[in-house]
Amino acid sequence: MFTRPAPKPAKAQVKFLLTRTKGSTKALAERLGVSRRTVERYRAGTLTTPQKRLQAALVEETESEWQPQVRAQVREAAVTSRGMMVDVTAFFGFTCKGSSDDGCERQVTTAISPAYAKQILELQEASATEEDLHPIVAEAITEWYFTDWGTRAHGLHADFTQVLKIEFRF
């Protein structure tokens, strides 16, 4: 959903761009560098294969308008209701009434709560490095994966000692 594709056919691209220009064929025609009538023909479907220059303009304008809208919707859902998935391959070390000095490599894919998703997305927007995200991701994984929302292994804290891969999915 995060990378849901933008419309591909010229008619669909024109219809989408018209929604962004509040239905103004004149404004869209100026934006694309074509006549108003050309925009109307693509909207009606009488023209279907644009010339290279127009095709490039349609793709560029559609993607510039499309992706921010989709990202905003998915991010909002992640921080309010759904949370997100995290896929981590790392060496985990544990502390809980003693410690495990040697990390154990694990590949963990798990859901994390909206509260942690919000923290991660805020840090990413603030240009945080991947290493800056490690403590929050480790805490989120500990909460769900290792302690089952606090129902077992009370006091357990997992730390990343070496991260091989970290990936977020919505």
Side-chain angles (χ1 to χ4, degrees):
M1 191 180 328
F2 185 73
T3 57
R4 185 171 53 177
K8 296 292 181 211
K11 180 178 179 179
Q13 290 173 331
V14 168
K15 282 188 172 184
F16 170 72
L17 290 171
L18 281 170
T19 63
R20 305 308 285 171
T21 60
K22 299 182 173 125
S24 171
T25 55
K26 182 180 178 184
L28 182 57
E30 289 173 4
R31 205 167 151 182
L32 297 173
V34 296
S35 71
R36 188 176 193 169
R37 185 69 186 129
T38 300
V39 170
E40 292 169 354
R41 287 180 180 141
Y42 279 103
R43 178 179 60 188
T46 56
L47 290 178
T48 57
T49 309
Q51 295 175 350
K52 287 182 181 182
R53 186 186 58 75
L54 177 57
Q55 179 63 37
L58 281 170
V59 168
E60 181 180 332
E61 292 296 324
T62 301
E63 288 181 356
S64 72
E65 291 284 335
W66 181 263
Q67 200 59 17
Q69 177 185 6
V70 172
R71 287 181 187 227
Q73 290 171 351
V74 172
R75 285 176 181 260
E76 182 62 29
V79 301
T80 57
S81 60
R82 284 200 327 238
M84 63 185 184
M85 297 293 290
V86 64
D87 183 17
V88 177
T89 303
F91 285 85
F92 288 90
F94 303 96
T95 58
C96 179
K97 296 181 184 174
S99 70
S100 166
D101 295 332
D102 296 330
C104 176
E105 182 181 334
R106 292 181 185 238
Q107 197 271 327
V108 177
T109 301
T110 187
I112 60 174
S113 69
Y116 288 113
K118 182 177 181 180
Q119 290 178 27
I120 290 167
L121 292 174
E122 286 173 352
L123 283 173
Q124 285 179 332
E125 289 172 7
S127 301
T129 65
E130 186 176 299
E131 289 77 27
D132 295 335
L133 300 175
H134 291 176
I136 295 171
V137 174
E139 187 178 327
I141 290 173
T142 299
E143 180 182 356
W144 190 87
Y145 186 79
F146 293 113
T147 66
D148 197 17
W149 300 107
T151 60
R152 59 187 169 93
H154 298 287
L156 178 74
H157 178 74
D159 289 318
F160 293 150
T161 55
Q162 181 183 357
V163 176
L164 304 174
K165 177 186 91 165
I166 187 167
E167 181 179 308
F168 301 103
R169 293 184 307 220
F170 295 89

